[in-house]
Amino acid sequence: AQKVTQAQTEISVVEKEDVTLDCVYETRDTTYYLFWYKQPPSGELVFLIRRNSFDEQNEISGRYSWNFQKSTSSFNFTITASQVVDSAVYFCALSEADRGSTLGRLYFGRGTQLTVWP
Amino acid sequence: EAQVTQNPRYLITVTGKKLTVTCSQNMNHEYMSWYRQDPGLGLRQIYYSMNVEVTDKGDVPEGYKVSRKEKRNFPLILESPSPNQTSLYFCASSLSPTGVSPLHFGNGTRLTVT
């Protein structure tokens, strides 16, 4: 079973629309970390955010916001007023950190391709 | 400039011809890892290393070897490449393996095995 599920394979929006990328994770650990990475068409992987399991506070950074809900095991990513430069593949990832967990393992979702049209 | 450097960026080879993809980081990170990216499958971990001389398998280690003789270098070795190893490979490093710090990725190596 996949530890990180990004059910949306592709999303297309028109510029200025808001868009939410879904991420659902699965873990039995009480301590874990969640990440979002962006992969623009140029191919590099860019870190966007890290969230630990004890911090459910939502975060906003400019047009980006993240909604972490332990009750639904979700860590969704919203882009407000999308722009063409937001076009990229976005990956959600999970790292488990309880004592006894295999440290060093990082589980990625399969990614969501976001296309923003002008 | 803090970075993870992979070489080469592109590599075309034939089945069975041993190859090495190098990875070097200049941030004194303890943790390094290799991933492969395939369409529809996302990023899958191949091997990782918690420190010098400490390596372990990820999700898809078959057909790969790694070594960590020095802190800064973590080469990926394909002793007998096969076409199913055609992929985009990323090396990454971070201060800590537990997720406290994010991964810094190299720019990727696109490998084609014919």
Side-chain angles (χ1 to χ4, degrees):
Chain A
Q2 278 224 288
K3 283 189 175 282
V4 178
T5 301
Q6 294 179 255
Q8 304 147 311
T9 307
E10 296 182 20
I11 301 176
S12 287
V13 298
V14 176
E15 221 172 9
K16 297 183 184 173
E17 283 185 25
D18 298 347
V19 58
T20 295
L21 310 182
D22 297 333
C23 173
V24 174
Y25 62 92
E26 183 181 324
T27 182
R28 292 182 180 178
D29 284 23
T30 54
T31 302
Y32 53 90
Y33 299 86
L34 296 162
F35 302 82
W36 276 95
Y37 287 88
K38 174 182 179 180
Q39 187 177 41
S42 50
E44 74 272 22
L45 285 153
V46 178
F47 165 75
L48 294 178
I49 191 171
R50 175 184 66 85
R51 178 60 87 224
N52 75 56
S53 53
F54 299 107
D55 182 3
E56 283 194 77
Q57 202 170 11
N58 290 334
E59 176 144 347
I60 299 175
S61 176
R63 296 183 297 105
Y64 294 172
S65 62
W66 290 268
N67 184 333
F68 175 30
Q69 290 197 334
K70 287 174 77 170
S71 61
T72 55
S73 297
S74 64
F75 186 43
N76 296 337
F77 173 30
T78 297
I79 301 175
T80 303
S82 59
Q83 300 176 1
V84 172
V85 293
D86 295 326
S87 295
V89 181
Y90 291 86
F91 292 99
C92 181
L94 164 72
S95 174
E96 296 170 317
D98 273 3
R99 191 181 297 275
S101 283
T102 305
L103 298 181
R105 294 297 307 277
L106 184 62
Y107 305 95
F108 282 85
R110 296 186 177 185
T112 297
Q113 169 71 60
L114 173 66
T115 303
V116 182
W117 298 100
Chain B
E1 181 191 347
Q3 59 185 5
V4 178
T5 304
Q6 287 178 237
N7 279 299
R9 289 295 306 275
Y10 301 92
L11 180 58
I12 301 174
T13 189
V14 296
T15 298
K17 186 176 181 182
K18 180 179 179 179
L19 67 90
T20 299
V21 184
T22 63
C23 175
S24 180
Q25 50 92 5
N26 62 1
M27 296 167 278
N28 202 35
H29 285 169
E30 290 190 350
Y31 177 84
M32 297 186 74
S33 187
W34 276 101
Y35 299 86
R36 59 178 288 174
Q37 182 178 5
D38 302 290
L41 296 178
L43 287 144
R44 293 179 293 168
Q45 194 171 28
I46 304 172
Y47 270 96
Y48 61 97
S49 170
M50 307 280 267
N51 213 326
V52 175
E53 301 292 2
V54 181
T55 63
D56 214 337
K57 297 176 181 178
D59 290 313
V60 287
E62 296 78 20
Y64 304 95
K65 282 176 56 176
V66 293
S67 70
R68 188 94 181 271
K69 293 185 171 57
E70 309 163 278
K71 201 170 190 178
R72 61 182 292 128
N73 295 324
F74 191 44
L76 180 69
I77 303 155
L78 285 72
E79 298 248 334
S80 183
S82 62
N84 65 13
Q85 291 178 299
T86 292
S87 187
L88 178 58
Y89 291 87
F90 287 98
C91 179
S93 72
S94 73
L95 273 172
S96 161
T98 61
V100 172
S101 53
L103 285 172
H104 297 256
F105 283 91
N107 285 332
T109 295
R110 188 166 291 281
L111 171 66
T112 302
V113 184
T114 61

